[in-house]
Amino acid sequence: MLTQAKSKRNWKPIIKEFEAVIGKKGVVRRKEELLTYECDGLPSYRQRPALVVLPRTTEQVAAAVKLCDRYNIPWVARGAGTGLSGGALPVEDCVLIVTALMKRILDVDLDNQRIVVQPGVINNWVTQAVSGAGFYYAPDPSSQIICSIGGNVAENSGGVHCLKYGVTTNHVLGLKLVVPDGSIVDVGGTIPEMPGYDLTGLFVGSEGTLGIATEITLKILKTPESICVVLADFTSIEAAGAAVADIIGAGIIPAGMEMMDNLSINAVEDVVATGCYPRDAGAILLVELDGLEVEVSTNKKRVTQLCQQNGARTITTASDPETRLKLWKGRKAAFAAAGHLSPDYFVQDGVIPRTQLAQVLKDVEALSEKYGYRIANVFHAGDGNLHPLILYDESIPGAFEQVEELGGEILRLCVNAGGSISGEHGIGADKNCFMPDMFSEADLETMKWINQVFNPKGLANPGKVFPTPRTCGEAANAQKSVQFKDVERF
Amino acid sequence: MLTQAKSKRNWKPIIKEFEAVIGKKGVVRRKEELLTYECDGLPSYRQRPALVVLPRTTEQVAAAVKLCDRYNIPWVARGAGTGLSGGALPVEDCVLIVTALMKRILDVDLDNQRIVVQPGVINNWVTQAVSGAGFYYAPDPSSQIICSIGGNVAENSGGVHCLKYGVTTNHVLGLKLVVPDGSIVDVGGTIPEMPGYDLTGLFVGSEGTLGIATEITLKILKTPESICVVLADFTSIEAAGAAVADIIGAGIIPAGMEMMDNLSINAVEDVVATGCYPRDAGAILLVELDGLEVEVSTNKKRVTQLCQQNGARTITTASDPETRLKLWKGRKAAFAAAGHLSPDYFVQDGVIPRTQLAQVLKDVEALSEKYGYRIANVFHAGDGNLHPLILYDESIPGAFEQVEELGGEILRLCVNAGGSISGEHGIGADKNCFMPDMFSEADLETMKWINQVFNPKGLANPGKVFPTPRTCGEAANAQKSVQFKDVERF
C-alpha cells in the first residue's frame, strides 16, 4: 500500500545541487515519472521517493551520496529493480540512486579470467561479452536477462547453476565502492588472494546498507566442453527427493538440479506447453551435468541409474543446445506460469538442509491445507533452496495478510529444520522481521556494529535487513533490546 | 631478537583470577615454560608473553578474554604456533591464549557434508575423521600434520589443493566466536546460504584481531573416485610456466599444480633422494588431477600433450597412492630441504597473476644476483602463489636485515605485477609494513573501522595486520595519516 506524506523538506534548492553534479537529465522529479520507482520486484510494498538520480560515473555517485550526507537525506540504491525482497524499496522522502545508466563493460582480461563492469550491466551481458572467446559468468538468477550485476552483488544472487559454482559472492574479486560518507574505497582486487579483512565478501549481500558498488570485478569461467540435461519424472516428491539425495551422496555435483511439483508442472504446461513434463507426474527433476564429454557421459549414466532406482517413470536426456533449452523452458517459465493459475502469487525463498526435503515439503502441504491456499513448489533441489509459490487473489480483503502469515510459517519451518530464511532473494524490507528467528541478539548486534561504522547516520537504505519496530509488529520487542547506544563516527 | 622489559603490572592477583576460571593446570607462568611461546613459525621475531593460558571450552576462552578486557591486558591467540607471518607473536606483557587443548571433534554430519571442530584440532585430523566414510577436508597447508584448524581460520590458510577447491574461507560454514569484550557470538551457520552480513567471511583471515573462534563448522567433500599425478620436467622455468598457462587456458582445473626450480630440485634430491626429479632440469611441474576415472584419464592425456608441446623432456604419471606419494615426496620436503642448502632460509609468500610468471621470476633472479643471496623457488604455479626461499646465514652480521630487504623487494615486484603481498601465510607482524603498498589510506581506514568495532580497546593481537609506527620504519609516515580519531564503544 502506498502512503505518501507531504515532505517537510524544501527540496527545490537541493534538487538544483543534484542537477549540478549529475546533470538535469539524470534527475527525475516529476510525480508521474517517479511512479516507476515506487517498488521493485516485490510490488506489495510501495513508497514514492522524493527524487530519483541516475548517475553515470563513480564520481557522480559519490557526489550524490555526499549531498545526501550533507543534508541528512536517506537514500536507497536501485539496480534494475527486479529484486524480490524489497531491497530497493524507497523510504519516505528519500533519494533513490539508480545505477541503470552505469552499463559499461570497463575491462575484459581473458588471460586472467576476469571482467570489470559497471553496476548497471545486465547479468546476461557479461556472458555475452566473453562467450565468443569460450568463457561465461556462472551466477544466473531467473531474471538474468533483466537484472543487473549491481543488484546481484547487493543481494548475493543465486541461480540454477549455483549448486556447482556458488552464488555471486564466489565470483566477485573486487569492488570500487562509494560508502555512505561519499568517499570512494577499493576492496578486494583482481586476484582471489588479498590480504587483510575480506571487505569484498562483507559487502556482497549487504543489500545497499553499506554503500554502492560502482565498479565490479568478476571472475569468468571457461565454457564447459559438454553439457547434458537429464529430465526424470516421478510419481511423488518423496521419490524425486530421494533421487536428489542419492545423486549428491554419490559425489556427483550437477551444474544444477531443479525440482517442480505437480501443480507447477501443470501450470507451465498450460502456459508454455513444453510437452516434456508429464502432467500426471508427482514431481520432475531436471539435472544439468557439465564438464568434459567423457565425464558428462559417465555422469549421465549414473544419474539415470540413480533416478531409475528411485522409481523414475521416464527419463529424457538432451545434449544439443536446442533440446536442452526445450527441457529447461518450463522451469524457466515457472514463476510466470504461476500467474496464470491464480490472479496473484507470492514467492517464498527459504533454505533447508537437503536431508530434510521430504519432511519439510509435507509440512508445507499441511500449511497449504490449513490456510486454504494452493502452493506450487519449484526449487533448487540440490542445495535445498525452496521457492514455494502461494497462489491467492489480492482483491479478496485480508487475503494478502493471510498469505504473508502463511509465508512466514514456511520460513519458520525452514529455520526449525536448520535452514535459512533466504536462499538468494535477500532480506530487504520483506523479511527483516524474521532475522530474530535466525540470529540471537548478540549475533544481530555484531552485524549492526558493521552497519554503524559504514553507515553511522543510518542514511543508506534504512529499514532494510535489520528488524525495525516500524515494520515488524511482533519483532518490535526483540528489537528494543538490541538498540544502539549513541555512536560517534570516527 | 628478544627484548624483555620488566612488567609494571602486578600480575599476582590477576594470575589467581585466570587460575580460577581456567584451572591451575591451564595457566603457564614459569619463565622456562614460557620460552616455547616466544615465537611462532617465524622465529626471527620473539617476545615472551607475561602469561599463557590453555582453555578447553568456549566459556573458558570467554572468561579469559573478559579478564583481559577488565584489566586492559593485550592478548594474542595462538593455535599450533606454525604460522609463518608472526601472527601469533606475543606482545609485551600480554596474555597468550593457546587453543592447543581444544581438540575435540564436536559433530560429524556426513549426510550434509559438514563437521564441527574445536580450534585446536589438527588440520589432518579432519580428513582422518571422515575418510573412512569417503570424505575429506580440502585445504591442506604444507604443515597440515601439525597446524590447527583455528590457526588455518585465522590466517585463511591455503595449500596445494586450493587451486581447484579454494582456500580455508571457502570451506568454513559457521563459527562460534569470542569477541574482544568477551561475549560469545555465532556467525554463519550450517548451510552456505545465510542472510545478513557475511561475518564468517570477514572473520576468516582476520589473524586474531577480531576475536577467537572456539567452534568451527567446516564443509567436507567427497573423496574423488580417481587421482593421478603428472610429473613433467623442463629445461627452463619459462617452458614450465608456458605449460601452466596452456593447461589453465585449456580449461583444465587441476587439483594442484606445483613448480620447483633447479635449486629446489637439487635440495630435495640431496635430502630425500626421491630419484624422480632430474637434477639437471630447469624446472619440474607436478600436476594433480582428480575426479571421475574417465575424466582424470582424459585430462592426463591432455596435460601430457600440453607439457610435451612446451618442451617437457620426460613425463611420469602415477595413479596408485604409493607412487603418487613418491612423486609428491620431494615437493612436500622442499622447505625442510632448503635448510640443508644453507644455515638459514627465509620463505617469502607473494602472489602474481599467472600471466606474469615468467617475467616476475626473471626479476626475482635479478634481485638474487643484486643482493648476492641464492633463491630457491617453490610455488603453487596454478594460482601464481610464489614461495621464494632466500638462503642465508644468520650468524653473519647484517645478513638477516639484507634478506628482509630482499624479501620486501620481491613483495613489491608482486604488487607491481598486479598481485598480492601474501597468498596464504598472512600479514601478521611480518608484512604489515607492506599493507600501504597494496591499499590506499581510505581502503586501510575502512578495514580499521572493522577492527575498531570488534576490538575498540585494541587489546586483541595488537600490532598485527595493520602498519604501526613501532614496527614499520618507512611505513610510519603513511600510518600517521590514517590514525583513528577517538571512538567510543557502543
Side-chain angles (χ1 to χ4, degrees):
Chain A
M1 199 182 299
L2 176 63
T3 52
Q4 205 69 32
K6 183 134 182 67
S7 174
K8 286 173 204 138
R9 193 185 291 277
N10 177 13
W11 276 99
K12 238 181 175 173
I14 297 174
I15 288 170
K16 284 253 174 298
E17 293 200 52
F18 275 102
E19 286 176 346
V21 294
I22 310 224
K24 273 201 171 181
K25 279 192 179 166
V27 176
V28 177
R29 44 185 290 205
R30 287 171 56 192
K31 252 189 197 166
E32 56 277 22
E33 289 177 311
L34 293 176
L35 267 174
T36 317
Y37 300 103
E38 281 176 0
C39 68
D40 59 8
L42 183 81
S44 41
Y45 301 104
R46 284 175 185 275
Q47 173 69 48
R48 194 179 306 151
L51 194 71
V52 170
V53 297
L54 293 121
R56 289 176 184 269
T57 64
T58 299
E59 289 67 31
Q60 288 184 348
V61 172
V65 170
K66 270 189 183 142
L67 281 175
C68 290
D69 182 62
R70 187 186 321 151
Y71 294 109
N72 290 311
I73 304 168
W75 56 272
V76 177
R78 176 185 165 113
T82 56
L84 292 169
S85 60
L89 176 72
V91 294
E92 208 181 306
D93 226 22
C94 81
V95 168
L96 195 69
I97 302 176
V98 179
T99 58
L101 300 185
M102 301 180 75
K103 42 191 178 188
R104 283 168 54 214
I105 290 177
L106 301 170
D107 187 40
V108 179
D109 178 352
L110 296 177
D111 285 340
N112 290 302
Q113 298 192 199
R114 62 198 184 209
I115 183 167
V116 185
V117 302
Q118 284 192 310
V121 164
I122 299 302
N123 175 292
N124 217 22
W125 298 357
V126 181
T127 293
Q128 282 167 4
V130 296
S131 61
F135 295 91
Y136 76 111
Y137 175 63
D140 55 347
S142 300
S143 54
Q144 70 179 131
I145 56 166
I146 44 168
C147 67
S148 66
I149 293 294
N152 293 176
V153 167
E155 300 298 332
N156 191 16
S157 303
V160 163
H161 288 96
C162 293
L163 172 59
K164 182 168 181 177
Y165 296 103
V167 292
T168 302
T169 195
N170 301 109
H171 299 269
V172 179
L173 293 169
L175 297 166
K176 189 179 280 299
L177 301 177
V178 173
V179 293
D181 69 0
S183 32
I184 298 165
V185 176
D186 290 288
V187 299
T190 53
I191 51 167
E193 300 89 352
M194 292 294 286
Y197 300 150
D198 180 15
L199 299 182
T200 313
L202 180 70
F203 189 87
V204 177
S206 64
E207 307 197 15
T209 61
L210 303 181
I212 301 186
T214 59
E215 286 184 21
I216 301 155
T217 305
L218 299 170
K219 267 193 249 180
I220 49 174
L221 303 181
K222 284 289 280 185
T223 313
E225 181 184 295
S226 170
I227 302 173
C228 170
V229 179
V230 179
L231 167 68
D233 76 276
F234 298 84
T235 53
S236 72
I237 283 189
E238 287 73 21
V244 169
D246 283 358
I247 290 165
I248 298 285
I252 300 167
I253 307 175
M257 181 147 57
E258 301 288 303
M259 209 196 286
M260 288 168 67
D261 69 0
N262 181 271
L263 190 52
S264 311
I265 292 167
N266 281 288
V268 300
E269 288 298 333
D270 284 350
V271 175
V272 295
T274 72
C276 309
Y277 304 176
R279 281 180 180 271
D280 63 340
I284 58 150
L285 204 59
L286 276 159
V287 186
E288 185 162 300
L289 301 163
D290 68 4
L292 291 179
E293 208 166 312
V294 283
E295 176 190 0
V296 170
S297 127
T298 305
N299 277 335
K300 183 170 76 176
K301 280 182 215 141
R302 296 168 77 203
V303 167
T304 300
Q305 197 179 15
L306 292 167
C307 286
Q308 281 165 339
Q309 280 171 12
N310 283 287
R313 300 188 308 180
T314 56
I315 287 174
T316 317
T317 62
S319 292
D320 65 295
E322 205 180 323
T323 323
R324 279 190 346 239
L325 217 62
K326 204 176 146 200
L327 294 189
W328 271 115
K329 193 179 171 189
R331 170 62 187 88
K332 297 259 177 191
F335 283 21
H340 288 256
L341 283 180
S342 165
D344 298 285
Y345 69 91
F346 178 99
V347 192
Q348 194 46 288
D349 168 41
V351 183
I352 53 169
R354 217 168 31 234
T355 45
Q356 307 280 318
L357 205 62
Q359 185 55 47
V360 172
L361 288 174
K362 260 186 208 156
D363 296 341
V364 169
E365 204 180 319
L367 285 174
S368 160
E369 277 166 29
K370 177 180 156 194
Y371 279 83
Y373 291 98
R374 288 185 300 164
I375 299 178
N377 283 294
V378 174
F379 42 93
H380 307 314
D383 46 16
N385 187 186
L386 310 182
H387 287 315
L389 297 151
I390 309 172
L391 310 176
Y392 74 109
D393 180 351
E394 198 163 329
S395 69
I396 298 173
F400 177 68
E401 288 70 20
Q402 280 186 318
V403 164
E404 262 201 317
E405 198 184 310
L406 168 51
E409 286 219 43
I410 293 175
L411 289 190
R412 290 204 181 88
L413 280 182
C414 294
V415 174
N416 291 338
S420 160
I421 57 176
S422 173
E424 53 186 13
H425 296 174
I427 298 302
D430 188 37
K431 291 184 174 173
N432 43 6
C433 311
F434 297 98
M435 289 290 273
D437 289 315
M438 284 211 73
F439 296 101
S440 75
E441 285 182 25
D443 302 352
L444 276 177
E445 194 173 4
T446 310
M447 286 189 203
K448 287 192 176 183
W449 291 353
I450 305 289
N451 185 272
Q452 284 278 325
V453 282
F454 278 87
N455 185 25
K457 293 181 172 178
L459 298 175
N461 214 6
K464 312 295 164 61
V465 182
F466 298 104
T468 64
R470 195 181 63 80
T471 54
C472 306
E474 64 187 81
N477 291 327
Q479 164 61 11
K480 271 173 199 149
S481 57
V482 290
Q483 274 174 351
F484 287 115
K485 298 179 198 119
D486 290 337
V487 59
E488 288 286 316
R489 177 63 174 272
F490 44 86
Chain B
M1 201 182 298
L2 177 63
T3 53
Q4 205 70 35
K6 184 135 178 69
S7 174
K8 285 172 204 137
R9 193 186 290 278
N10 177 12
W11 277 98
K12 235 180 179 173
I14 297 174
I15 288 171
K16 284 253 173 301
E17 292 200 53
F18 276 102
E19 285 177 346
V21 294
I22 310 227
K24 273 202 171 181
K25 280 192 178 165
V27 177
V28 177
R29 44 186 289 205
R30 288 173 56 194
K31 252 188 199 168
E32 56 277 25
E33 288 176 311
L34 292 176
L35 267 175
T36 317
Y37 300 103
E38 281 175 2
C39 67
D40 59 9
L42 183 81
S44 40
Y45 301 104
R46 285 176 184 273
Q47 172 69 49
R48 194 180 307 150
L51 194 70
V52 169
V53 296
L54 293 123
R56 290 177 183 268
T57 65
T58 299
E59 290 64 33
Q60 287 184 349
V61 173
V65 170
K66 269 188 183 143
L67 281 175
C68 291
D69 182 63
R70 187 187 320 153
Y71 294 110
N72 291 313
I73 304 168
W75 57 271
V76 176
R78 176 185 165 114
T82 56
L84 292 170
S85 61
L89 176 73
V91 293
E92 205 180 309
D93 225 22
C94 81
V95 169
L96 195 69
I97 302 177
V98 179
T99 58
L101 299 185
M102 300 179 76
K103 43 190 177 188
R104 284 170 52 218
I105 290 178
L106 302 170
D107 187 40
V108 180
D109 178 353
L110 296 178
D111 285 340
N112 291 302
Q113 297 192 202
R114 61 197 186 212
I115 184 165
V116 185
V117 302
Q118 284 192 311
V121 164
I122 299 302
N123 174 294
N124 216 23
W125 297 357
V126 180
T127 292
Q128 283 168 1
V130 295
S131 61
F135 295 91
Y136 76 111
Y137 175 62
D140 55 347
S142 300
S143 54
Q144 72 178 132
I145 57 166
I146 45 166
C147 67
S148 67
I149 294 293
N152 292 175
V153 166
E155 300 297 332
N156 191 19
S157 304
V160 163
H161 288 97
C162 293
L163 173 58
K164 181 168 182 176
Y165 296 103
V167 292
T168 301
T169 195
N170 302 111
H171 300 269
V172 179
L173 292 169
L175 298 165
K176 191 179 279 300
L177 301 177
V178 173
V179 293
D181 69 359
S183 33
I184 297 166
V185 176
D186 290 288
V187 299
T190 53
I191 52 167
E193 300 88 352
M194 292 294 285
Y197 301 149
D198 180 16
L199 299 182
T200 313
L202 180 70
F203 189 87
V204 177
S206 63
E207 308 196 17
T209 61
L210 303 180
I212 301 187
T214 59
E215 286 184 21
I216 300 156
T217 305
L218 299 170
K219 269 192 246 179
I220 49 174
L221 303 180
K222 284 288 282 187
T223 314
E225 182 184 293
S226 171
I227 301 172
C228 171
V229 178
V230 179
L231 167 68
D233 76 275
F234 298 83
T235 51
S236 73
I237 283 190
E238 288 73 21
V244 169
D246 283 356
I247 290 166
I248 299 284
I252 301 166
I253 306 175
M257 182 149 56
E258 301 288 304
M259 209 195 286
M260 288 169 67
D261 70 0
N262 181 272
L263 190 52
S264 311
I265 292 167
N266 281 288
V268 301
E269 287 298 331
D270 283 351
V271 175
V272 294
T274 72
C276 308
Y277 304 174
R279 282 180 180 270
D280 63 341
I284 58 148
L285 204 58
L286 276 160
V287 185
E288 184 162 299
L289 302 162
D290 68 3
L292 291 180
E293 208 166 312
V294 285
E295 177 189 358
V296 170
S297 126
T298 305
N299 278 334
K300 183 171 76 177
K301 279 182 216 140
R302 296 168 77 202
V303 167
T304 301
Q305 197 179 14
L306 291 167
C307 286
Q308 281 165 340
Q309 280 171 13
N310 282 288
R313 299 187 308 181
T314 56
I315 288 175
T316 317
T317 63
S319 292
D320 65 296
E322 204 179 325
T323 322
R324 279 190 345 239
L325 217 63
K326 202 177 149 202
L327 294 190
W328 272 115
K329 193 179 171 189
R331 169 62 186 88
K332 298 258 178 193
F335 283 20
H340 288 255
L341 284 180
S342 165
D344 298 285
Y345 69 92
F346 178 97
V347 191
Q348 194 46 286
D349 169 40
V351 183
I352 54 168
R354 214 165 36 231
T355 46
Q356 308 280 317
L357 205 62
Q359 184 56 47
V360 172
L361 288 175
K362 261 185 209 157
D363 295 342
V364 169
E365 206 181 318
L367 285 175
S368 160
E369 278 166 28
K370 177 179 155 194
Y371 280 81
Y373 291 99
R374 287 185 301 164
I375 299 179
N377 283 294
V378 175
F379 42 95
H380 307 314
D383 46 15
N385 188 185
L386 311 182
H387 286 316
L389 297 150
I390 309 172
L391 309 176
Y392 73 109
D393 181 351
E394 198 164 329
S395 69
I396 298 173
F400 177 67
E401 289 70 20
Q402 280 186 318
V403 164
E404 261 200 318
E405 198 184 308
L406 167 53
E409 286 218 45
I410 293 176
L411 289 189
R412 291 204 180 89
L413 280 182
C414 294
V415 174
N416 291 338
S420 160
I421 57 175
S422 171
E424 53 185 14
H425 296 174
I427 298 302
D430 188 36
K431 291 186 176 175
N432 43 6
C433 312
F434 297 98
M435 289 291 272
D437 289 314
M438 284 211 73
F439 296 102
S440 74
E441 285 183 25
D443 302 352
L444 276 176
E445 194 174 2
T446 311
M447 285 189 203
K448 287 192 175 182
W449 291 353
I450 305 289
N451 185 272
Q452 283 279 326
V453 284
F454 278 86
N455 184 25
K457 294 181 172 178
L459 298 175
N461 214 6
K464 312 294 164 62
V465 182
F466 299 103
T468 63
R470 195 182 62 81
T471 54
C472 305
E474 64 187 81
N477 290 327
Q479 163 61 12
K480 271 174 200 150
S481 58
V482 292
Q483 273 174 352
F484 287 115
K485 301 183 196 115
D486 289 337
V487 59
E488 288 286 315
R489 177 61 174 272
F490 44 87

